[in-house]
Amino acid sequence: MPTIGNIQLPDFPLLLAPMEDVSDPPFRAVCKLNGADLMYTEFISSEGLIRDAIRSRKKLDIFEAERPVGIQIFGGDEEAMAMSARIVDTVNPDLLDINFGCPVKKVVSKGAGAGVLKNIDLMVRLTEACVKSTRLPVTVKTRLGWDDNSKNIVEVAERLQDVGIKALSIHGRTRAQLYKGQADWTLIAEVKNNPRIQMPIFGNGDIDSPEKAVEYKKRYGVDGIMIGRAAIGYPWIFNEIKHFIQTGEHLPPPTIEQRVDVIRQHLHGSVQWKGEVLGILEMRRHYTNYLKGLPNIRDYRLKLVTLKSLEEIEPVLQEIVQVYHGYQFERRKVDMDAMAYSCDG
């Protein structure tokens, strides 16, 4: 069973990827209840933490029920990353994760996220600065390289392990690919099978079904997998994968009652954490994915994205349960391209 510092994970753990504007405490809570073994916060700007930016500080919120949980930071300046690591230390997460994988332009243009892939020496220095500035185990999430001509992940893994990281998550695409094309796990397997590598290696990219999780587990030999986009609106994927690994059989798709129960949990958690106005507003982006597959759901979905109070929303959720009671959902098919996400997955 893989360990990260003092964190003992189960055999073949399933990790929830850090996703900007998605992996907040309410979403992490429903994923934890449905089988996620290790989760991460949305990524946090080191510069924002140092400036005491309210949005960045808010992302430091973690709760006992979601442990083990890691806080993820990003940046391109050694001093700022070191100071951020010390700030993260004070809120006592289980680990500190560094993002060297986010491909979006606004992050890359600042020499952070996947932008660091163009300068491996800098990546090593940034990582070492964090390792030396915290008592927490430090992990890294990254990509295969900047482009097809610089797939240097084997060298990166060795050098980051040498400066003290305790686990590495690898998204099987380059920065140039963004989220297009198929993720290449062969280099992830090469890192895992490298005799120099002693830390856990987690694979990420395109895991959207129990079958694929089992196939990649057997084919590539990674210590666990990280799931991003496929969990949006479908936190059940974690338990579905675990059940399939153990039994070779599929769990039945969640019923309408189960789906609405999770919507309620997510919604109430969002309101509790963000306040009613913002909590309801930011929950609107999730309804489509939670209710996907239901025929003639459009009118209900339009109501849910316009109502402004819990008192108004609850009767609509009750009506959805009544109208669709007994509806037989098909096994989920994920269009990963349609769910292309800004950072990670």
Side-chain angles (χ1 to χ4, degrees), residues 70-323:
I71 290 177
Q72 189 186 74
I73 62 174
F74 73 96
D77 178 82
E78 293 171 58
E79 184 177 355
M81 290 290 279
M83 291 178 65
S84 294
R86 289 192 285 271
I87 293 170
V88 168
D89 223 26
T90 65
V91 300
N92 196 34
D94 297 286
L95 60 86
L96 169 68
D97 191 68
I98 305 172
N99 183 304
F100 291 135
C102 180
V104 299
K105 186 175 180 180
K106 68 179 181 180
V107 173
V108 170
S109 64
K110 297 177 182 178
V116 185
L117 289 167
K118 292 191 283 189
N119 188 340
I120 303 307
D121 289 340
L122 175 60
M123 181 189 288
V124 173
R125 294 198 304 271
L126 292 169
T127 303
E128 187 172 21
C130 290
V131 170
K132 290 181 176 179
S133 300
T134 180
R135 59 177 177 76
L136 299 167
V138 175
T139 63
V140 164
K141 186 172 192 295
T142 189
R143 289 179 169 237
L144 301 179
W146 176 257
D147 56 26
D148 283 341
N149 298 318
S150 58
K151 292 182 178 179
N152 44 24
I153 188 61
V154 175
E155 174 194 352
V156 165
E158 290 181 351
R159 294 184 65 182
L160 295 185
Q161 180 178 262
D162 288 345
V163 296
I165 72 166
K166 302 302 182 185
L168 179 65
S169 298
I170 306 170
H171 183 100
R173 291 182 174 88
T174 63
R175 188 273 169 179
Q177 286 180 271
L178 300 177
Y179 294 96
K180 298 175 183 177
Q182 188 172 358
D184 177 7
W185 282 58
T186 58
L187 281 175
I188 302 176
E190 190 172 330
V191 173
K192 173 58 190 172
N193 294 323
N194 182 348
R196 274 206 60 201
I197 298 299
Q198 301 300 313
M199 61 186 171
I201 301 297
F202 304 117
N204 174 230
D206 294 351
I207 298 296
D208 58 5
S209 69
E211 292 96 332
K212 188 173 284 187
V214 170
E215 177 190 352
Y216 281 30
K217 176 180 185 289
K218 293 177 179 177
R219 182 186 300 180
Y220 301 110
V222 291
D223 294 290
I225 57 175
M226 178 178 279
I227 299 169
R229 286 171 288 167
I232 298 174
Y234 203 83
W236 302 277
I237 191 169
F238 298 100
N239 276 336
E240 287 184 357
I241 289 172
K242 289 181 175 181
H243 184 80
F244 193 75
I245 289 174
Q246 292 170 357
T247 68
E249 299 177 352
H250 288 281
L251 285 172
T255 63
I256 187 60
E257 288 80 6
Q258 290 170 318
R259 292 167 193 254
V260 171
D261 279 347
V262 167
I263 288 174
R264 286 193 182 102
Q265 292 168 16
H266 195 163
L267 172 62
H268 285 269
S270 185
V271 167
Q272 184 176 7
W273 186 58
K274 302 172 185 177
E276 185 166 27
V277 174
L278 186 60
I280 289 174
L281 180 65
E282 294 194 352
M283 184 64 191
R284 290 174 179 174
R285 67 171 73 104
H286 295 283
Y287 292 124
T288 296
N289 287 310
Y290 277 126
L291 299 173
K292 197 172 186 66
L294 289 170
N296 305 313
I297 193 63
R298 181 175 180 271
D299 288 345
Y300 288 113
R301 196 171 64 239
L302 287 175
K303 287 182 182 179
L304 290 172
V305 299
T306 54
L307 298 176
K308 298 180 180 179
S309 72
L310 293 175
E311 290 75 17
E312 295 173 309
I313 293 171
E314 179 55 33
V316 177
L317 294 177
Q318 291 176 1
E319 187 174 342
I320 290 172
V321 170
Q322 292 168 358
V323 169

